[in-house]
Amino acid sequence: MKKTLYLSVVLFIAYTSIAFSQSYQRLGQGVKTITQSIAIEVQFYSPQIVRVLKQPQGNVLKKESLAVIKKPQQTQVDISAQHDTVTLKSSAVEVKLNLKTGGVSFVSAVSGVPLFTEKDYGTQFTHVKDGNEASFDVRQAFILDKDEVIYGLGQQPNGKLNQRGQKVYLRNENTRVCIPFFQSVKGYGIYWDSYAPTTFTDNIQETAFDSEVGNCADYYFMYGGGADGVVTQMRDLTGQAPMMPLWVYGYNQSRERYKTQFELVDVVKRYRALKVPLDGIVQDWQYWGKDDNWNAMSFDATTYPKPQLMVDSVHLLHAHLFIVSWPGFAPKTPQFQEFKQKNMLINFDTWPPGANTRPYDVYNPEARDIYWGYLNKGIFSLGPDAWWLDSTEPDHINIRDKDFDQPTFLGTFRSVQNAFPLAHTKGVYEHQRDESATKRVVLLTRSAFAGQQRYSANTWSGDIRSDWPTFKKQIPNALNFSMTGLPYWNADIGGFFAGNWNRGGGINNPEFKELYARWLQFGAFTPMMRSHGTDIPREIYQFGKRGDQIFDVVEKFINLRYSILPYIYSTAWNVTHNSGSIMRPLYAGFGQDKQGYEVNTEYLFGKSFLVMPVTDKGVKSQDVYLPAGTKWYDFWTGEIAEGGKNIERATPIDILPLYVQAGSIIPWGPKVQYANEKKWDNLTIRVYPGADGEFTLYEDQNDNYNYEKGVYATIDFAWNDKERTLTINEQKGAFPGMITKRKFNLIIVKPNHGTGIETTSPDKTINYNGRDIKVKF
C-alpha cells in the first residue's frame, strides 16, 4: 500500500523568526524553508532562470543533473517578506513563495503580468519501492490559464501542435521522444528534471508532472518572452548545439540495408553519373555478419572484405559515410564478454529478437570508455564521417516488470531510463572530440533527451509507417521537438515501413510515388534531408530517368536544397551562436498572431521561409495561412499576398506551397554535385522588398572545430525598404582559404516575377572585396 506525504501544516523554528509568519533562510541567490513537512529551495540561476527544488523534510540529497549543466551565475536578486509571502525579484522575473502552502508563483518583473503558478498543495510524495530501495512517486501540479497554448514534450506522435488537454506517458520508445518540458505562448518554459517514466497530464483542473520514482520535485522555470527566447534559456541551461559540417546539410541517401560494400559504393557512383547531388551515404546494420555477432563493430570478411577501400572509395567520390552502431551486443561479441565480466550489461532483451543481446550500461563512464575503444579501433580508425546511433531508447523487447529494477551505475534502470540516449551520445561525442578535432562529430540518433543538442545529435522520428496520416504527423512532431530546445530533427523520407505498398506494385505504385515525392519536398526543408526505408528502395534512379515525372520532382527538390545551402548553413550558425532554431511554428515568428498558434500543417524554416507540405493524396490545392504583420511572396511566382489571411494555392506534383517573408535576404548557392564542390565566390543575393530586412552570411572551413576559436567569417546584409538600398557590410573575421574577392549577383524580387530555381537575370552585379558597400535600386 502506498503512503502519500502531502503538504500538511508543520511549524518549525528557523534561523530568524517573525511571530506572525512562517520563517525562511536566505541562501545565496535564493531562499529555503520548510513548509508542510516539505523542504523547499528557490534559487535564481540567472535573471531569467529559476530552480525550484522540493523534497521531504529530513531527506539528504545531493543531486547532479544529467541534463542541466549551467551553474548559478551572479544575479542581483532582491528578497523581501510580507506576512506569509517571500518575494524574490530579478530584473526579469518575480517569484512569490507562500510560506504557509509552499506554493510558488511567477510574475513578469517588467510588466507585472502573472506567468505561471503551482497549484495549492500541489506537491505530493508517495512512498514506493524502486528495486530494493525506498523511493517516492513524485508529483507536482500547476495551474495554467484556460486558453493558454503550450508546445513541447519532445516528439509525441499524437498529431497535435498544442499539447493542452493531453495525458502523455513520457517513456522513450521507438517513434516517441519523451522530454518533460513545455513552453507557453505567455513566454515561459518549464523543465521537469526527472529521467524516470513520467506522466504529463493537462486537464481543466491542473497541469502536472508525475514521475514514477525520485527523491525530489525539481523543476526550472525560464522566461524568454517568446518561443525563440525560451529556447535560448533552455540552451543556456542544458548546453549549446555545435556546428555540424557543411556536407551534412546536403542530401543523404540510405536504405535498410546495403548488403555489401560494392552495393554501397555503386549507389554513390550512380548519383555521380546522373549528376544528381549527393553528400552522404548510410551503412545500416548487419555489416558485421549474422545476428549472433550483433554490433561487433567490425566488418564481415565476405560481404565487406576491404572496408578501408570502401571508405576511401566513398571519399574519392566526394561523399561521406555514416556507419551504424547500436548500444546492444550479442553474446558472441568480445564487447559482450568484456561488459559481462565487468558487470556493465543491463540484463534485459534488446534488438534483435532471439539473439540474447543486452545493452551496455551507458551511465557508467568506464563502460562508455570501453564502448568507444571498440568503436574507434574497429570503425573510426578507417575514417568514416558520421555515426548512426540506432536504438538509442533503447529497444526493449520481451518486457518484464523486473527489467526496470535492473541496476545501472546511477541507480535502477527505471530511475534513469529516459536519459539513456543522452548518456549514450555523450560517450560517442566526447570520445570522438578527444580523438580528433579535424572532423566534426555527426550523430544520427533515434531518440533524445534534454541537453542532447550539446552532443551534435540529429534525431530522426523513428521507424514510422509509410502512409499519409503518419506523414501528416511529422510536422507537429518536428515543431514540438524543436520547441523543446533541440534544433536538429529529421524523418525517413517516404516512411520506414513501406511493405504495404508492395501489394500495389511497390516502387511502381502511383500512390507510393506521390507520397514519396511529397515527403521528399518536406525533407528538403528539414535540418537533415535523408531518404531511408525498408521494403522499397528509394534511390532516385529507382523512379526511372529524367523525363519521368517523379524522377524530375525528386531531382528538382534535391537541387533546390543545394541552392539554399548558404541560407541553411548560416541558419545553422544562428543555432550555434545565438541559440536559434531551424524549424519553428508560426508562433515563434509571429507571437502576436493568435490565429497561427495551433496551425500544425505549416511552419517557418529559419526566419524567412514559410513551408506548407502537401500531406494528403491527390490534392489539387491547399489552403495556406499567411501570418499577419507582413507581406508574403509566393516563392515560385513572386506573387505578393498580405498576411493575416488564408489563400488557396494550387499544388501540382512539382510544387510545394512555399512563401518568403517580405524583407528577407536569401543567398543563393551555385549548382553543385556535392556541398563543397564550389566556393561561394559568385553568389546570387535575392532581396524580397516590402519591409526592412537583414541577414548574416556565415562561412568557415566547413569542417573541424576551428570556428570555436573564432576562425570564421561573417558578412552582414541590410535592406532599407524606404530608400531601396542594400548595404553589404565589411567582412568580419578570417579563416584559411577565405574568399577575399567575389561577385554578388543582386536580384530585387518583383511581384509576379518568377523566383524559383529557374535562372533569373540579376538587377545588378557587384564586385565585393570585403569592404562596406551600398547599392541603390
Side-chain angles (χ1 to χ4, degrees):
M1 180 176 178
K2 293 182 179 179
K3 282 177 64 180
T4 302
L5 174 62
Y6 292 95
L7 290 170
S8 58
V9 178
V10 173
L11 298 176
F12 70 101
I13 298 174
Y15 303 88
T16 58
S17 299
I18 303 174
F20 55 86
S21 71
Q22 297 278 27
S23 301
Y24 68 93
Q25 179 191 9
R26 183 156 186 163
L27 185 70
Q29 300 174 149
V31 298
K32 67 178 182 179
T33 188
I34 298 177
T35 302
Q36 311 281 352
S37 298
I38 304 293
I40 303 170
E41 294 184 23
V42 178
Q43 185 178 18
F44 276 81
Y45 271 49
S46 74
Q48 298 83 16
I49 299 175
V50 182
R51 183 188 187 189
V52 177
L53 177 65
K54 299 184 180 185
Q55 55 187 313
Q57 183 180 4
N59 259 26
V60 178
L61 174 68
K62 184 179 180 182
K63 177 179 177 181
E64 293 188 12
S65 177
L66 299 179
V68 174
I69 60 173
K70 183 178 179 64
K71 303 300 180 185
Q73 70 185 62
Q74 188 64 40
T75 303
Q76 176 64 43
V77 180
D78 297 325
I79 301 176
S80 61
Q82 186 173 11
H83 302 300
D84 294 308
T85 300
V86 179
T87 300
L88 304 89
K89 187 175 181 179
S90 73
S91 59
V93 177
E94 182 178 295
V95 185
K96 295 182 181 297
L97 169 61
N98 188 310
L99 295 173
K100 280 189 174 181
T101 67
V104 182
S105 60
F106 302 84
V107 176
S108 168
V110 177
S111 67
V113 173
L115 298 171
F116 184 65
T117 186
E118 293 182 3
K119 187 178 182 180
D120 284 344
Y121 307 104
T123 311
Q124 299 176 14
F125 294 95
T126 303
H127 287 285
V128 296
K129 278 283 192 178
D130 183 23
N132 296 320
E133 299 295 325
S135 187
F136 295 97
D137 180 298
V138 183
R139 190 175 194 274
Q140 178 66 58
F142 310 95
I143 300 294
L144 271 59
D145 292 349
K146 180 182 177 181
D147 298 323
E148 192 173 342
V149 175
I150 62 174
Y151 312 97
L153 302 182
Q155 174 191 285
Q156 302 304 320
N158 54 22
K160 297 181 180 296
L161 182 59
N162 180 8
Q163 296 300 312
R164 293 302 299 273
Q166 301 299 302
K167 185 173 183 178
V168 181
Y169 186 51
L170 299 174
R171 186 171 77 186
N172 277 336
E173 60 184 66
N174 193 353
T175 76
R176 291 180 180 270
V177 177
C178 297
I179 302 174
F181 169 94
F182 68 84
Q183 66 160 290
S184 163
V185 293
K186 294 177 72 175
Y188 70 83
I190 297 294
Y191 169 57
W192 175 255
D193 194 26
S194 171
Y195 329 114
T198 297
T199 299
F200 170 82
T201 303
D202 179 80
N203 53 43
I204 60 175
Q205 288 85 25
E206 62 182 12
T207 303
F209 289 109
D210 187 342
S211 295
E212 290 183 354
V213 294
N215 295 315
C216 60
D218 187 5
Y219 71 88
Y220 294 81
F221 172 92
M222 56 204 83
Y223 185 63
D228 294 339
V230 172
V231 167
T232 295
Q233 300 308 320
M234 187 60 173
R235 300 265 183 81
D236 184 34
L237 188 67
T238 63
Q240 300 299 330
M243 285 293 289
M244 295 191 185
L246 176 64
W247 68 263
V248 85
Y249 300 100
Y251 177 69
N252 299 279
Q253 184 64 60
S254 181
R255 185 200 299 181
E256 194 282 301
R257 60 188 171 84
Y258 299 119
K259 296 180 179 179
T260 71
Q261 69 179 78
F262 312 105
E263 183 180 22
L264 182 143
V265 173
D266 185 62
V267 171
V268 183
K269 289 180 177 178
R270 295 190 69 172
Y271 270 86
R272 293 289 178 253
L274 287 167
K275 298 190 182 302
V276 175
L278 173 77
D279 263 282
I281 187 78
V282 184
Q283 176 58 62
D284 203 346
W285 60 7
Q286 290 183 324
Y287 60 84
W288 48 73
K290 297 180 179 179
D291 286 355
D292 62 3
N293 202 41
W294 186 268
N295 199 33
M297 298 173 177
S298 60
F299 288 93
D300 178 73
T302 301
T303 51
Y304 295 83
K306 297 181 179 179
Q308 186 66 70
L309 178 62
M310 174 184 68
V311 175
D312 293 345
S313 297
V314 169
H315 289 163
L316 286 170
L317 290 163
H318 303 286
H320 300 80
L321 180 62
F322 289 80
I323 301 284
V324 77
S325 183
W326 291 59
F329 298 92
K332 189 177 178 181
T333 63
Q335 294 93 329
F336 183 100
Q337 295 303 321
E338 182 170 357
F339 284 135
K340 181 180 179 181
Q341 180 184 4
K342 295 180 177 179
N343 199 28
M344 294 177 179
L345 292 173
I346 306 176
N347 190 28
F348 62 74
D349 292 332
T350 189
W351 192 269
N356 296 313
T357 50
R358 298 289 184 270
Y360 81 108
D361 186 353
V362 299
Y363 311 100
N364 187 327
E366 184 184 351
R368 295 195 296 265
D369 292 344
I370 294 170
Y371 186 94
W372 174 256
Y374 284 103
L375 193 61
N376 184 30
K377 181 179 179 181
I379 306 295
F380 190 63
S381 61
L382 300 172
D385 308 284
W387 303 108
W388 182 354
L389 299 184
D390 208 338
S391 187
T392 45
E393 302 87 11
D395 277 307
H396 191 170
I397 56 180
N398 304 318
I399 295 177
R400 305 161 299 176
D401 288 341
K402 65 179 182 180
D403 290 347
F404 301 99
D405 294 333
Q406 289 294 316
T408 76
F409 184 78
L410 295 178
T412 66
F413 181 62
R414 179 186 295 105
S415 67
V416 290
Q417 180 179 358
N418 282 337
F420 190 99
L422 179 68
H424 185 41
T425 55
K426 170 186 172 74
V428 177
Y429 174 83
E430 291 183 346
H431 280 99
Q432 183 178 323
R433 287 221 54 176
D434 288 343
E435 186 74 26
S436 171
T438 61
K439 194 187 291 278
R440 292 178 195 166
V441 183
V442 177
L443 306 181
L444 177 61
T445 71
R446 202 175 69 182
S447 194
F449 194 70
Q452 197 162 311
Q453 72 280 350
R454 64 183 183 253
Y455 300 133
S456 199
N458 194 321
T459 301
W460 90 96
S461 59
D463 298 340
I464 52 178
R465 290 180 56 82
S466 175
D467 57 39
W468 293 98
T470 302
F471 176 25
K472 187 185 294 285
K473 291 178 181 178
Q474 300 310 298
I475 300 170
N477 277 359
L479 297 179
N480 278 306
F481 185 88
S482 181
M483 292 285 272
T484 306
L486 291 90
Y488 288 107
W489 178 98
N490 68 105
D492 293 344
I493 292 176
F496 182 71
F497 292 111
N500 54 309
W501 299 108
N502 283 324
R503 294 188 297 273
I507 194 72
N508 296 313
N509 185 308
E511 188 178 338
F512 175 76
K513 286 184 175 182
E514 180 188 3
L515 173 67
Y516 184 78
R518 293 304 194 186
W519 208 317
L520 184 128
Q521 292 168 357
F522 167 59
F525 291 90
T526 61
M528 178 185 285
M529 187 181 188
R530 182 187 59 89
S531 173
H532 179 68
T534 191
D535 304 309
I536 298 176
R538 320 286 170 84
E539 295 82 12
I540 189 172
Y541 47 80
Q542 308 288 351
F543 295 93
K545 59 185 185 303
R546 284 193 178 88
D548 293 335
Q549 185 183 61
I550 302 303
F551 183 105
D552 289 350
V553 172
V554 171
E555 183 179 26
K556 174 180 178 177
F557 278 86
I558 292 176
N559 278 317
L560 175 56
R561 175 76 174 196
Y562 280 83
S563 294
I564 61 172
L565 268 186
Y567 172 84
I568 295 173
Y569 199 56
S570 298
T571 299
W573 170 243
N574 184 57
V575 167
T576 296
H577 192 60
N578 298 313
S579 301
S581 299
I582 299 175
M583 297 182 74
R584 306 158 70 224
L586 302 189
Y587 158 68
F590 302 91
Q592 302 304 312
D593 185 359
K594 294 184 179 180
Q595 290 188 67
Y597 283 4
E598 298 190 56
V599 173
N600 65 352
T601 55
E602 53 191 83
Y603 61 94
L604 304 173
F605 186 67
K607 295 184 177 180
S608 296
F609 288 101
L610 185 148
V611 187
M612 188 179 192
V614 179
T615 57
D616 293 294
K617 68 176 180 179
V619 297
K620 304 300 181 184
S621 65
Q622 290 203 152
D623 199 30
V624 183
Y625 179 71
L626 301 177
T630 188
K631 297 178 182 178
W632 294 91
Y633 285 77
D634 185 310
F635 173 79
W636 305 105
T637 68
E639 182 180 355
I640 297 178
E642 291 287 343
K645 64 181 182 181
N646 290 71
I647 64 169
E648 193 76 10
R649 179 54 167 102
T651 55
I653 189 64
D654 66 335
I655 291 294
L656 165 80
L658 185 62
Y659 291 82
V660 184
Q661 182 179 345
S664 294
I665 302 169
I666 307 293
W668 197 260
K671 185 174 177 60
V672 293
Q673 299 306 299
Y674 51 93
N676 296 327
E677 183 184 11
K678 298 176 183 177
K679 290 189 174 183
W680 295 347
D681 57 355
N682 191 7
L683 293 181
T684 295
I685 306 297
R686 298 174 184 264
V687 178
Y688 292 78
D692 292 344
E694 58 186 27
F695 183 83
T696 298
L697 178 68
Y698 172 81
E699 295 171 298
D700 61 17
Q701 293 172 286
N702 299 327
D703 211 339
N704 75 43
Y705 287 99
N706 289 340
Y707 75 88
E708 294 182 343
K709 305 171 186 176
V711 183
Y712 62 87
T714 59
I715 302 173
D716 292 333
F717 295 77
W719 170 252
N720 185 310
D721 198 61
K722 183 178 180 180
E723 297 179 2
R724 292 185 64 80
T725 300
L726 179 67
T727 300
I728 307 175
N729 289 300
E730 180 182 2
Q731 188 169 19
K732 298 177 182 178
F735 61 90
M738 182 181 76
I739 301 166
T740 56
K741 295 181 180 180
R742 69 175 96 206
K743 287 185 178 180
F744 286 131
N745 305 296
L746 308 179
I747 295 176
I748 308 301
V749 176
K750 302 175 181 64
N752 304 313
H753 185 268
T755 62
I757 57 177
E758 69 277 6
T759 301
T760 304
S761 298
D763 294 293
K764 292 187 177 182
T765 296
I766 63 165
N767 295 312
Y768 176 74
N769 61 5
R771 297 178 181 175
D772 289 343
I773 186 169
K774 279 192 176 184
V775 185
K776 177 78 173 178
F777 293 88

